[in-house]
């Protein structure tokens, strides 16, 4: 169980990624569809428009009569718009001279005193497709945008081919196309909102069992549950079964390892007790050495028993065990204050009432007790203890003193098992090493630094139980 605060994830969650991907894809498809529909509608509208211009061209071909000298007479077409000035509907018949310059033979009255311009190379384009027509955009008499249809015809009895132009103001078509685009965007916008809502609902509903499984795993890890409750969809049942089997196997393996360590430790404790008892009844340097080393071995056995228990808890065997931090600190401070009363040691402590250690009380007692004992011995009479929440699943315990402190090299050596920075003081040198090992067994860590009072600051991070 790691308790270091995880770095904030900059990547979006799975739901956001799925919704974003589906939204982008849906919007891309809808936009492409709207553009394609608009283009199809515009082409259809222009084809209908061109059909009207084609009818006007056919009427011109039927009403045109060549005259002597190369002129052309056009009978009345019966189209009132072509006889009203600047009405928006025009026609013109031109002949291209050998030098390439167009000559207007006849034009509609609606053009009044203007002419329809010919595109550069129009004559060659029409000559390349004699049975077809060419459509293009051109400015009208009043600067409006016209749709022009040009056809190359050879009139009976005429001296050469002519170019017939039929044109009409296309603003009505453009207005229809714009209206179609607006309507399409509105409809597709509503469709996009509906699709997005459907995607969000489907993703949420589809991933809800995974969210529930994640919550149950979090409860299990935090000690609020002892196993997965089940009731998942058929697709997730194999995953849940495998997770349950894995946790059961892990718990059983840890229990077996813990039992082996415990059996070995208990098997050693009895012979060590016999040796200590026998040596204590004797006199001489050898008996004293035996008593001293037997006591050290007993402490080592005790230490490794605690490490085995902490490892088993961290692996899930102790799920559900929690210890209020304030209660433990209160008991330790009262005890140590009485023990060091003659030395004038003053211990100040502070811890929130709702701060809970996710582990066994004895382990927290040993961690905090070792640190406080060292601070009382070497802290110059002033010790400060502060416990606080260090993250979503972490608590931080800080012990400051006003003693001489440690150099960086001494701080590094102090965590080595059995290291003695002061050989004149009693002890085995295992205090900080025990704390470090227990903290790491719980997934935490131990840091040594400089306190604000100039002495040593010890900071230990441990798992925190959350509601």
């Amino acid at each position: 169980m790691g308790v270091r605060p995880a770095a904030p994830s900059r990547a979006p969650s799975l739901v956001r990624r799925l919704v974003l991907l589906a939204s982008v894809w849906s919007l891309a498809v809808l936009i492409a569809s709207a553009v394609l529909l608009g283009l199809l509608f515009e082409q259809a509208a222009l084809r209908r428009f061109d059909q009207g211009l084609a009818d006007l061209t056919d009427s011109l071909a039927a009403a045109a009569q060549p005259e002597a000298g190369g002129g052309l007479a056009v009978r009345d077409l019966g189209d009132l718009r072509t006889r009203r000035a600047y009405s928006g509907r025009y026609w013109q018949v031109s002949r291209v001279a050998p030098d390439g310059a167009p000559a207007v033979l006849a034009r509609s009255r609606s053009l009044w005193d203007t002419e329809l311009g010919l595109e550069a190379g129009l004559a060659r384009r029409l000559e390349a497709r004699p049975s077809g027509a060419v459509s293009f955009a051109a400015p009208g008499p009043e600067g409006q945008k016209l749709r022009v249809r040009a056809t190359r015809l050879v009139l009976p009895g005429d001296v050469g081919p002519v170019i017939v132009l039929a044109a009409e103001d296309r603003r009505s078509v453009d207005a229809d196309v714009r209206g179609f685009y607006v309507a399409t965007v509105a409809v597709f916008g509503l469709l996009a909102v509906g699709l997005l809502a459907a995607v969000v609902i489907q993703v949420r509903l589809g991933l809800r069992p995974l969210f529930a499984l994640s919550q149950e795993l979090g409860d299990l890890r935090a000690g609020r549950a002892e196993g997965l409750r089940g009731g998942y969809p058929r697709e997730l049942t194999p995953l849940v079964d495998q997770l349950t089997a894995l946790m059961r196997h892990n718990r059983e393996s840890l229990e077996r390892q813990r039992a082996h360590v415990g059996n070995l430790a208990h098997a050693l404790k009895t012979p060590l007790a016999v040796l200590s008892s026998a040596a204590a009844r004797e006199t001489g340097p050898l008996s004293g050495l035996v008593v001293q080393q037997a006591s050290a071995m007993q402490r080592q056995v005790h230490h490794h028993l605690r490490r085995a228990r902490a490892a088993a808890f961290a692996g899930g065997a102790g799920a559900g065990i929690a210890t209020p931090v304030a209660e433990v600190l209160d008991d330790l401070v009262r005890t140590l204050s009485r023990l060091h009363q003659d030395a004038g040691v003053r211990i100040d402590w502070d811890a929130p009432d709702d701060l809970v250690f996710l582990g066994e009380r004895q382990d927290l007692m040993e961690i905090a007790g070792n640190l406080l004992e060292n601070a009382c011995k070497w802290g110059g009479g002033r010790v400060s203890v502060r416990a606080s929440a260090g993250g979503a699943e972490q608590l931080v315990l800080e012990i400051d003193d006003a003693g001489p402190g440690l150099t960086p090299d001494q701080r590094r050596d102090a965590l080595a098992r059995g290291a003695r920075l002061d050989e004149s003081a009693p002890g085995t040198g295992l205090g900080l090493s025990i704390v470090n090992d227990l903290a790491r067994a719980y997934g935490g860590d131990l840091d040594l630094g400089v306190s604000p009072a100039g002495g040593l600051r010890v900071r230990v991070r441990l798992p925190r139980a959350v509601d």
Side-chain angles (χ1 to χ4, degrees), residues 32 41 81 85 154 237 270 294 301 351 361 379 439:
F41 178 82
R81 293 184 61 190
V154 178
T237 300
T270 300
V301 169
R361 179 183 180 89

Side-chain angles (χ1 to χ4, degrees), residues 107-323:
R107 60 186 177 184
S108 65
R109 188 176 301 175
S110 57
L111 282 172
W112 199 247
D113 57 351
T114 61
E115 296 179 358
L116 295 175
L118 299 182
E119 277 191 335
L122 178 60
R124 289 191 299 272
R125 291 172 60 192
L126 290 173
E127 189 176 356
R129 45 190 309 184
S131 61
V134 174
S135 297
F136 57 92
E142 296 180 313
Q144 71 270 44
K145 187 177 180 181
L146 300 180
R147 175 77 171 180
V148 183
R149 179 182 172 87
T151 306
R152 184 176 183 271
L153 297 176
V154 178
L155 300 176
D158 199 2
V159 296
V162 295
I163 297 177
V164 179
L165 301 179
E168 189 170 346
D169 188 347
R170 59 171 290 171
R171 284 180 292 185
S172 60
V173 176
D174 294 338
D176 290 342
V177 172
R178 285 194 300 271
F180 181 82
Y181 271 116
V182 171
T184 302
V185 169
V187 172
F188 276 49
L190 292 176
L191 181 60
V193 172
L195 286 176
L196 181 59
V199 167
V200 172
I201 293 174
Q202 288 179 352
V203 171
R204 291 262 179 203
L205 290 177
L207 295 180
R208 180 176 294 175
L210 289 177
F211 295 152
L213 178 59
S214 175
Q215 181 64 41
E216 287 196 25
L217 289 173
D219 293 341
L220 181 64
R221 180 171 177 264
R224 294 188 295 267
E226 296 182 357
L228 299 177
R229 292 185 291 272
Y232 292 98
R234 182 176 56 188
E235 293 79 6
L236 289 181
T237 300
L239 174 62
V240 175
D241 293 341
Q242 291 296 328
L243 285 174
T244 302
L246 179 61
M247 288 185 293
R248 185 184 303 113
H249 174 74
N250 185 41
R251 186 179 298 111
E252 292 173 354
S253 298
L254 287 171
E255 288 290 352
R256 286 195 299 269
Q257 295 173 12
R258 183 180 181 184
H260 293 329
V261 174
N263 292 337
L264 178 61
H266 286 297
L268 291 174
K269 285 174 67 176
T270 300
L272 288 174
V274 173
L275 284 176
S276 297
S277 177
R281 289 194 295 268
E282 302 293 332
T283 59
L286 180 58
S287 62
L289 179 61
V290 171
V291 170
Q292 180 185 4
Q293 294 303 315
S295 299
M297 294 175 67
Q298 286 177 336
R299 282 190 291 271
Q300 290 276 8
V301 169
H302 179 68
H303 164 60
H304 287 289
L305 275 176
R306 289 197 178 280
R307 285 199 62 187
R309 184 176 63 249
F313 178 88
I321 301 177
T323 303

Side-chain angles (χ1 to χ4, degrees), residues 53-78:
L53 297 178
D55 293 341
L56 179 59
T57 301
D58 294 341
S59 299
L60 282 170
Q65 295 291 333
E67 294 179 340
L72 188 70
V74 179
R75 298 192 306 271
D76 184 16
L77 300 179

Side-chain angles (χ1 to χ4, degrees), residues 88-111:
R89 189 172 176 87
Y90 314 100
W91 58 264
Q92 178 178 298
V93 181
S94 303
R95 191 190 307 278
V96 179
D99 60 357
V104 178
L105 301 179
R107 60 186 177 184
S108 65
R109 188 176 301 175
S110 57
L111 282 172

Side-chain angles (χ1 to χ4, degrees), residues 224 269 364 375 395 401 407 425:
R224 294 188 295 267
K269 285 174 67 176
L364 182 59
L395 68 86
D401 62 51
T407 66

